[in-house]
Amino acid sequence: MKLFKRADPPEETQPTAKTSPDNTNDTGLGTFGGVYTPSILTILGVIMYLRFGWVVGNVGLLGTLLIVTLSTSITFLTSLSVSAIATDRIVRGGGAYYMISRSLGIETGGAVGIPLYFAQALSVALYTIGFAESIIDAFGSFNQLYVALITTIAVAVLALTSAEIAIKAQYLIMGAIVLSLISFAFGQPLEATTIEIWADSGQSSEPFWTVFAVFFPAVTGIMAGVSMSGDLREPSRSIPTGTLAAVGTGYVIYMILPIVMAMRADASTLIENPLIMKEMAFWGPAILFGVWGATLSSAIGSILGAPRVLQALARDGVLPGRLSVLGNGSGPNDEPRIGTAVTLGIATATVCIGDLNIIAPVLTMFFLTTYLVLNVSAGIEGFLQSPSFRPTFKVHWSLSMLGALGCLAVMFLINAVATVIAAVIVLAIFIWLQRRELETTWGDARRGIWMALVREGIFQIGEEDTKNWRPHILVLSGIPKKRWPLIQFADDLTHNRGMITVCSVLPSSSRDVSQQSDMQDTIREYLEKRGVQVLVRVVTATDFFDGAKLLVETYGIGPLTPNTVVLGDSQEPSRSDRYCQLVAHIHKAKKNVVILRENSERGFGQYRRIDVWWGGLQNNGGLMLLLAYLLRTDMDWRNAEVHLKLVVPEESAAQATQANVDSVIQNLRIGASSQVLVSQGRPFYDILHESSQDADLIFLGIRTPGENFTEYYQDLQSKTVGLPSTVFVLAAPGFSYGEVLSDR
């Protein structure tokens, strides 16, 4: 799997010539020109001119004011979240993508940023086609396609020349919109009418939420200013001020207009005439200027924002390496001219293709998805109370989460099918980015999320109980390459049900303590390449046994400590005493001891047969049966048969013992078969060798450490020479593993 990394230093730690360390840009745009202007011009768009009368006519004055308030509330909450993020960290080019990627990670940022770019790029075509349609309606003698193409190229030339020039062009457009609103304010009623507070259900042709869905895009223009983040003089100051001011201005205008409309025409007139504002205005052509200004300003906002998102995606390595040229900037303001040219190509092709009605709902979903994720980002950061999250504009996390829920609700109200399509696309991009294993040099909130969950989980775990027992294994393997079967065996036992920690003890004289972290990273990378998900712990001690005792005593946090220690069998007589003392120490610490004695020639054989030499559910017997059951849940051992073997001294006891064992197996539902063997005076180990010679793995219980335990263990080793791979099991005292099985 290929690994992608950025070749250049992270922007967060290396201020460019353009941007100083205090997050200011001496040559950048100000709050009014860089944030407020593009935002308010996108908010006061074509819906205000062509659909506002229709909204009032369908739901009445009170319904319209309610729709405006609900819609603006969602945008306002999102603006608060954007303001919190913008005042917490340096905000550079890429706007919403930059904020999300630095908060929830590059995969989430990319999954939202790529669709957001295409939505903005296609929106250029959407707005220029709308402009062309209005020209044709007014004059009627032009070709719509040619007008749309010329308009698309014109706004792109503005953006290519300079973002600052494009912003100045928007001042003229703002003037046209202001003129249209003044002309409308001094207009005259069309007919004598009474204000309809709430639309008559008999006259209303559309339900409330359908009308809400039509109006809502009118208040979703805040991203136009956020997308200019890389060109702002002080983004952490301009984004909150400009965005909130634009939302407030839009709300005031949208609350006044329906009152005026309701006073000047009745419901049927408002519904039937899309350009009703032109009929009411003091000077009708001013409304046309406003419509043209609204479409052009939205197109300019999109052609300015989309290339900057593309530039940020390329610079972070989200896009494939061959597209890295899209991250280049031009001129002293680092303008994305290559990205603008690419965006122009996409918009031009879309204009030539024609109708965007089919994909328009999906584009709206991408914008709302961006809002939703921005709210989630701010909400999570605020909820976790990470020390690194210190915004100067403070917002309670509940407000951000409320904004996220509002966005989600509106998405389904507007178009449930388009919502699902957008979600599938975002999820597909997220999975693709995860599989590319992108590495970032900045931190994000994901670690904080897991830390909060782990903290809460540790306090909730409590003491270990039979109902929820899981194997948490400490593997004293040393260097994994040399003792790989130990790690493989532990991994087969847990099968993602518990945790494994692979431990290595380094002699104090061989390595400095400061190098332990590097050693842990090396071991972890090796195990990840082998497909084993484990924790790694390296300690320094005078010898292996002292280090192992230290790990057994101290490793873990609260109740989340290993309950089972996996060891390799010691073959050196000179170390037998220390080894057996370690086993006794682990047992006194109330942890299970599992010793794997591998047959180096046969390994685990064919993974088909497991022999458990059993003495009942108590003590070692319950644990051995439980381990055999867990082993069979692994893919390698899924076809293995568990043979439960017992030895009785005489034939007379065999039948009753067989019946008892079969009853236990049936009650435990573990799918094992039993075999009762009669010793007839033969030594146990002779029976063991004869009966289990063809097994792939053998489980044997060992006695509790006490006097002469070293001699006992040495005798056990000598009497099991030549057997298949064998596991010696010593259950922790005071815990009933039989109840673990019976609780299943």
Side-chain angles (χ1 to χ4, degrees), residues 7-278:
D8 56 333
E11 291 183 283
E12 284 81 348
T13 58
Q14 297 294 329
T16 63
K18 175 188 170 187
T19 306
S20 61
D22 62 351
N23 193 21
T24 61
N25 176 0
D26 295 337
T27 61
L29 300 169
T31 301
F32 185 79
V35 180
Y36 179 81
T37 299
S39 295
I40 192 61
L41 292 183
T42 307
I43 290 172
L44 302 179
V46 291
I47 289 177
M48 180 182 72
Y49 290 103
L50 302 180
R51 289 293 182 270
F52 218 168
W54 178 87
V55 171
V56 177
N58 273 289
V59 298
L61 178 59
L62 185 60
T64 302
L65 297 179
L66 181 59
I67 286 175
V68 171
T69 301
L70 288 175
S71 302
T72 307
S73 296
I74 294 173
T75 305
F76 175 69
L77 291 173
T78 305
S79 301
L80 294 179
S81 298
V82 168
S83 300
I85 297 174
T87 57
D88 173 64
R89 57 175 61 92
I90 296 175
V91 180
R92 293 195 170 89
Y97 156 73
Y98 189 95
M99 293 178 177
I100 293 169
S101 64
R102 270 57 177 178
S103 181
L104 295 183
I106 195 169
E107 296 91 348
T108 305
V112 175
I114 292 175
L116 176 62
Y117 164 72
F118 281 104
Q120 288 183 320
L122 296 178
S123 293
V124 177
L126 189 66
Y127 294 130
T128 55
I129 290 174
F131 175 80
E133 288 178 354
S134 65
I135 292 291
I136 301 305
D137 290 341
F139 300 103
S141 58
F142 295 100
N143 182 289
Q144 180 176 313
L145 175 61
Y146 293 159
V147 173
L149 285 173
I150 292 172
T151 307
T152 302
I153 294 171
V155 296
V157 168
L158 272 177
L160 283 168
T161 304
S162 171
E164 194 167 354
I165 294 177
I167 291 295
K168 290 179 180 178
Q170 291 194 105
Y171 294 149
L172 297 176
I173 294 171
M174 180 180 284
I177 291 177
V178 171
L179 177 63
S180 70
L181 292 175
I182 293 174
S183 178
F184 178 76
F186 287 97
Q188 298 294 326
L190 296 182
E191 55 198 359
T193 182
T194 57
I195 298 178
E196 243 180 89
I197 300 299
W198 194 270
D200 186 348
S201 58
Q203 296 178 356
S204 178
S205 58
E206 299 292 345
F208 178 84
W209 289 112
T210 300
V211 178
F212 178 91
V214 171
F215 174 79
F216 184 79
V219 298
T220 58
I222 60 173
M223 285 298 104
V226 175
S227 295
M228 297 298 296
S229 57
D231 294 82
L232 299 175
R233 188 179 302 117
E234 296 180 87
S236 61
R237 177 184 175 185
S238 295
I239 289 177
T241 305
T243 302
L244 292 173
V247 171
T249 303
Y251 180 66
V252 171
I253 293 173
Y254 281 153
M255 291 295 282
I256 295 174
L257 285 179
I259 298 175
V260 177
M261 288 181 174
M263 294 172 62
R264 294 182 180 179
D266 61 25
S268 59
T269 304
L270 291 172
I271 292 174
E272 292 170 2
N273 191 344
L275 266 175
I276 192 67
M277 289 181 68
K278 180 185 175 187

Side-chain angles (χ1 to χ4, degrees), residues 411-705:
M411 289 171 71
F412 277 98
L413 287 170
I414 292 177
N415 192 318
V417 175
T419 300
V420 174
I421 293 173
V424 169
I425 293 173
V426 169
L427 181 62
I429 297 173
F430 179 86
I431 294 172
W432 171 62
L433 293 176
Q434 270 202 328
R435 294 189 65 180
R436 286 179 58 197
E437 293 188 343
L438 289 171
E439 285 193 357
T440 62
T441 52
W442 62 82
D444 55 57
R446 289 175 296 180
R447 178 178 173 84
I449 295 172
W450 290 117
M451 284 294 292
L453 291 174
V454 168
R455 179 187 181 276
E456 185 65 22
I458 287 174
F459 283 115
Q460 296 298 324
I461 285 176
E463 295 299 322
E464 198 164 56
D465 62 85
T466 57
K467 184 68 177 177
N468 296 290
W469 186 88
R470 296 290 187 275
H472 298 314
I473 299 176
L474 191 70
V475 184
L476 299 175
S477 63
I479 305 301
K481 292 181 181 180
K482 296 181 179 179
R483 307 299 294 271
W484 178 252
L486 283 178
I487 299 170
Q488 180 187 351
F489 177 67
D491 186 48
D492 292 345
L493 283 176
T494 58
H495 193 55
N496 297 326
R497 289 179 171 175
M499 295 191 302
I500 304 173
T501 302
V502 173
C503 301
S504 183
V505 180
L506 303 177
S508 303
S509 58
S510 67
R511 195 176 295 269
D512 187 83
V513 68
S514 63
Q515 295 177 287
Q516 290 181 22
S517 178
D518 295 337
M519 187 69 175
Q520 287 181 174
D521 292 340
T522 301
I523 295 175
R524 186 181 299 108
E525 290 176 4
Y526 171 78
L527 294 173
E528 285 178 354
K529 291 178 181 177
R530 298 291 295 266
V532 179
Q533 192 174 35
V534 300
L535 303 174
V536 178
R537 182 66 173 171
V538 176
V539 297
T540 302
T542 54
D543 64 11
F544 167 80
F545 297 106
D546 288 340
K549 289 181 179 180
L550 178 66
L551 285 166
V552 169
E553 292 174 3
T554 63
Y555 182 74
I557 177 170
L560 193 62
T561 58
N563 54 30
T564 303
V565 179
V566 173
L567 296 162
D569 185 37
S570 175
Q571 301 293 326
E572 298 182 24
S574 62
R575 302 177 56 159
S576 291
D577 280 337
R578 297 291 305 280
Y579 183 86
C580 290
Q581 289 172 13
L582 174 61
V583 172
H585 185 82
I586 298 170
H587 182 70
K588 288 179 181 179
K590 296 185 178 181
K591 301 181 188 298
N592 303 315
V593 182
V594 177
I595 302 171
L596 174 63
R597 182 174 185 176
E598 183 199 11
N599 186 313
S600 58
E601 295 180 358
R602 296 174 55 178
F604 293 115
Q606 301 298 315
Y607 296 89
R608 292 299 180 91
R609 177 177 156 189
I610 302 171
D611 283 2
V612 179
W613 288 89
W614 203 52
L617 276 177
Q618 302 303 316
N619 302 323
N620 293 342
L623 179 58
M624 288 193 296
L625 201 55
L626 178 58
L627 295 178
Y629 167 80
L630 292 174
L631 208 57
R632 286 188 61 202
T633 63
D634 183 74
M635 289 294 293
D636 291 336
W637 293 95
R638 65 187 182 280
N639 295 320
E641 297 179 355
V642 177
H643 292 191
L644 209 59
K645 295 178 179 287
L646 293 88
V647 178
V648 296
E650 299 175 355
E651 189 69 39
S652 59
Q655 187 173 356
T657 302
Q658 184 77 57
N660 289 335
V661 173
D662 289 343
S663 177
V664 170
I665 291 174
Q666 184 177 1
N667 291 333
L668 295 180
R669 307 178 304 281
I670 59 173
S673 61
S674 64
Q675 184 179 6
V676 177
L677 304 171
V678 181
S679 65
Q680 296 179 339
R682 294 178 298 165
F684 168 76
Y685 290 104
D686 289 350
I687 300 172
L688 171 64
H689 278 268
E690 180 183 338
S691 180
S692 291
Q693 194 60 47
D694 296 328
D696 295 307
L697 188 66
I698 301 170
F699 280 95
L700 281 177
I702 59 177
R703 80 180 193 191
T704 302

